[in-house]
Amino acid sequence: MNNSIKSEGKQGVNKKRPFQLLRYFTITSLIAFVLVAVSLVIFYRQIAVSELIEIGESKNAAMTQSFSNVIWPEFKSFLGSASGLSADAIRAHPETARLRQAVLEQTQGLSVIKVKIYNMEGMTVFSTQESQIGEDKSENAGFLTALNGGFASELTHRDTFSAFEGEIEDRDVISSYVPIRRGDSGVEGVFEVYDDVTPLLEKISIAQRNIAIGVTLILALLYIILFLLIRRADNLIKQQFVEQQQAEEEIQKAYKKEENVNEFFQFTLLNIIEFVNRGSEKAELLAYLKQIKQQFDDLKYWIPKN
């Protein structure tokens, strides 16, 4: 029974494996470094794009104020009365052509690619894309925000876009709804300005790529340094494990020899008792004891010290 238990214990010892520190480090740290690199790059892009939208909104607000000072006083009466006209009538009206020319002059050399004007009811009374004149935007969230005196902007990618000079393709555009005010007066209408920010977004993409490369190189260098340190620690763990296994095996061997000694003494004691019971001669008993001593010396057992 004891032998079987100790045998099973020895098998359990042999099945043990050292902690695979290097393997766990390689897997977990690689995943962690990749997540950190991706998170940093995404975070940078979000911050850069958010700042780009804020700058674009401020730029469009300043441009709208310029339009309000130059264009609005001259065309205010026409735009105010346009709500009573049909879309075709507004497009055919001479004032629409004059307004379009005035807008083109104001935006010449700028990155603005479209301008729309809404009256207080949300009707599109002017657009550089004439097909949009007459559209109802009264329920549009951006229009409602501007009507209440706020600003609303968004960045979108357009596969095609109808600009001043015709269709353009693959452009990134910031569209801003900006309230029309003159002086301290209330909101008199809403401008929607479309600004082409494709070159700026391309610069952000280039910077994002450079940051990704830089972060990857730094993390790769850090990974290599840590890998070398962990590999050294892993080798020490394996070495200590081997030494521990060898020590345990020596202890197991010692206990095995101790069992053999116990069996030897038990067998010897039984033989001595048998000699005594048979009434053997003293010389015969002494010869047997001498033989036992020789066998005991040959056994050379080792018992571990406590």
Side-chain angles (χ1 to χ4, degrees):
M1 178 88 177
N2 292 336
N3 290 342
S4 63
I5 293 175
K6 292 182 178 180
S7 177
E8 290 176 0
K10 185 175 180 181
Q11 291 177 358
V13 171
N14 291 335
K15 291 180 180 178
K16 290 181 181 179
R17 294 290 184 272
F19 179 69
Q20 302 296 321
L21 178 62
L22 187 62
R23 177 188 299 175
Y24 284 108
F25 167 78
T26 302
I27 296 174
T28 57
S29 62
L30 186 60
I31 294 174
F33 283 1
V34 170
L35 291 177
V36 169
V38 172
S39 299
L40 286 175
V41 172
I42 293 176
F43 178 72
Y44 163 76
R45 184 173 182 84
Q46 289 178 340
I47 295 297
V49 170
S50 178
E51 291 182 354
L52 176 62
I53 293 175
E54 291 182 5
I55 294 172
E57 184 177 274
S58 299
K59 176 184 174 182
N60 290 342
M63 191 176 304
T64 298
Q65 186 60 45
S66 176
F67 288 166
S68 300
N69 295 333
V70 177
I71 297 175
W72 188 252
E74 183 177 356
F75 296 96
K76 177 181 178 180
S77 59
F78 163 66
L79 295 173
S81 63
S83 57
L85 303 175
S86 66
D88 291 335
I90 296 174
R91 281 191 285 268
H93 201 287
E95 289 295 287
T96 300
R98 290 184 59 246
L99 177 56
R100 177 182 175 81
Q101 184 60 36
V103 170
L104 290 175
E105 291 176 357
Q106 289 292 317
T107 58
Q108 188 174 7
L110 302 178
S111 56
V112 175
I113 54 178
K114 181 190 286 189
V115 175
K116 298 170 69 174
I117 303 176
Y118 304 97
N119 63 13
M120 298 295 289
E121 289 76 34
M123 177 182 177
T124 306
V125 293
F126 173 78
S127 174
T128 51
Q129 183 180 348
E130 292 187 351
S131 61
Q132 295 180 335
I133 293 177
E135 290 181 351
D136 182 10
K137 295 291 185 178
S138 58
E139 297 182 359
N140 182 277
F143 167 78
L144 294 175
T145 299
L147 191 65
N148 292 320
F151 298 89
S153 299
E154 66 173 347
L155 174 64
T156 57
H157 179 80
R158 305 295 182 91
D159 294 329
T160 59
F161 191 87
S162 180
F164 293 138
E165 299 177 354
E167 293 287 332
I168 56 177
E169 297 179 351
D170 196 25
R171 311 305 288 177
D172 296 294
V173 178
I174 292 179
S175 58
S176 300
Y177 290 85
V178 185
I180 301 173
R181 288 193 181 96
R182 297 191 68 246
D184 296 331
S185 63
V187 177
E188 299 180 1
V190 173
F191 266 110
E192 184 180 7
V193 181
Y194 293 80
D195 190 17
D196 183 6
V197 294
T198 304
L200 296 177
L201 209 59
E202 288 177 352
K203 291 181 179 180
I204 291 177
S205 298
I206 293 173
Q208 181 183 18
R209 182 189 62 194
N210 293 337
I211 289 176
I213 294 173
V215 169
T216 301
L217 291 176
I218 293 173
L219 290 179
L221 179 61
L222 178 61
Y223 179 83
I224 292 173
I225 295 174
L226 292 177
F227 178 83
L228 295 175
L229 294 175
I230 296 300
R231 186 176 66 176
R232 172 61 178 168
D234 185 66
N235 290 335
L236 291 176
I237 290 175
K238 290 180 179 178
Q239 181 180 352
Q240 292 174 357
F241 179 80
V242 171
E243 294 174 354
Q244 180 183 359
Q245 288 288 90
Q246 292 175 347
E248 290 179 356
E249 289 176 1
E250 290 295 328
I251 292 173
Q252 292 293 335
K253 290 178 181 179
Y255 281 120
K256 185 64 177 178
K257 288 183 178 181
E258 183 180 2
E259 291 174 0
N260 294 336
V261 171
N262 291 335
E263 292 176 359
F264 172 76
F265 277 119
Q266 184 179 7
F267 175 76
T268 302
L269 181 61
L270 290 175
N271 286 338
I272 292 174
I273 292 173
E274 183 179 354
F275 270 100
V276 172
N277 291 335
R278 288 189 319 185
S280 301
E281 295 295 334
K282 181 178 180 182
E284 184 180 356
L285 181 60
L286 289 174
Y288 179 69
L289 291 175
K290 185 176 181 180
Q291 181 184 357
I292 292 174
K293 180 179 181 302
Q294 182 62 40
Q295 293 177 352
F296 183 77
D297 291 338
D298 293 340
L299 186 60
K300 296 180 180 180
Y301 72 94
W302 176 84
I303 301 176
K305 297 181 179 179
N306 293 329

